[in-house]
Amino acid sequence: MPGSRSKDAVSPDNSTCGRFVAALDRDPMASIESICVYCGSSPGTDPAFSVSARRFGTLLAEGGIRLVYGGGGIGLMGEVAEAAAAAGGAVTGIIPDFLMRREKAPQGEMELIVVDDMHARKRLMFERADAFVALPGGIGTLEELVEQLTWAQLGQHRKPVLIANLNGFWDPFIELIGHMRDTGFIRAPYPVDLLVAEHVEDIVPRLQAAADAVAGREPAATAEVARRM
């Protein structure tokens, strides 16, 4: 059964900025209750990517952790979402209206929120998630991952961010981050805290350990920062 669809009128107005600021300014989570997964709308060339995406969706369901994702029903997005739903897990998909035809509706019982644009999608995914995981994907996945790393580097949130380095997919990105450190563009006062897991079974324990290590309150974000998200 396709996911239930709702139209969420998210636009960059004052109320939306207020919700985003509130999400940034809340206390660090005591436990990981929801995870935002960024991943490709295609399966990629390695069959292990799809196998791991399905496995991770099942693990989230078994752990009682809500999956928040981009709302598509194809590629790795569809694999992780449909596996989570099939295992009885809670799933929230968030998709811009213009991508509904291209990325198709997922199968399974889940919440599907249709928003006006990409900015609204990313903002709502941030608000709904306690942590972020990037599976293999393309430019869109990379952009979403880097945005969360940037806001964390700037002190605007302390939610853990992890890449699932399945069969070494993210090795070039990890090497690039190291190169940026070596050449002085990532400096000690502003570190990039990126978690890495080689196997999907390790993802949730590493995210939870990182969340447990966070102490104190997150700094408040200004409305201007919220507007730019």
Side-chain angles (χ1 to χ4, degrees):
M1 173 180 180
S4 58
R5 172 176 171 168
S6 64
K7 179 70 175 179
D8 188 84
V10 177
S11 58
D13 57 14
N14 291 337
S15 61
T16 301
C17 290
R19 291 199 308 273
F20 183 66
V21 170
L24 287 169
D25 196 30
R26 67 184 179 180
D27 288 333
M29 70 296 298
S31 63
I32 300 291
E33 298 179 356
S34 60
I35 293 176
C36 176
V37 175
Y38 302 130
C39 58
S41 59
S42 66
T45 58
D46 188 338
F49 296 159
S50 292
V51 172
S52 294
R54 290 193 295 270
R55 175 61 177 155
F56 188 49
T58 301
L59 288 171
L60 290 177
E62 292 175 350
I65 298 172
R66 175 176 289 275
L67 167 66
V68 179
Y69 85 113
I74 57 177
L76 298 188
M77 284 200 297
E79 298 284 10
V80 68
E82 291 175 12
V91 179
T92 296
I94 304 169
I95 189 169
D97 187 63
F98 76 91
L99 283 179
M100 284 294 292
R101 284 190 178 183
R102 178 183 298 181
E103 296 188 350
K104 301 180 181 179
Q107 299 297 310
E109 191 63 38
M110 62 188 72
E111 175 187 27
L112 185 63
I113 302 172
V114 182
V115 295
D116 292 332
D117 54 40
M118 295 292 286
H119 294 294
R121 178 201 220 179
K122 292 191 293 181
R123 191 159 52 237
L124 196 54
M125 290 169 78
F126 175 87
E127 292 172 359
R128 295 285 185 106
D130 292 328
F132 306 93
V133 170
L135 300 178
I139 292 296
T141 301
L142 179 62
E143 186 268 340
E144 290 167 323
L145 167 64
V146 171
E147 183 169 63
Q148 291 305 335
L149 290 173
T150 301
W151 289 119
Q153 184 188 36
L154 295 175
Q156 298 306 303
H157 77 81
R158 298 173 71 185
K159 300 178 182 183
V161 182
L162 180 146
I163 54 175
N165 193 29
L166 307 176
N167 285 355
F169 176 83
W170 290 108
D171 282 349
F173 180 71
I174 294 170
E175 183 178 349
L176 177 61
I177 294 293
H179 176 65
M180 291 176 177
R181 289 194 183 101
D182 293 343
T183 53
F185 290 100
I186 296 177
R187 294 167 291 150
Y190 307 103
V192 172
D193 295 322
L194 178 62
L195 303 172
V196 180
E198 307 292 334
H199 306 285
V200 293
E201 291 80 6
D202 298 328
I203 293 175
V204 172
R206 291 186 184 177
L207 290 173
Q208 187 60 65
D212 290 343
V214 175
R217 289 184 58 84
E218 300 180 14
T222 64
E224 176 66 12
V225 170
R227 185 185 68 78
R228 292 180 180 178
M229 181 74 175

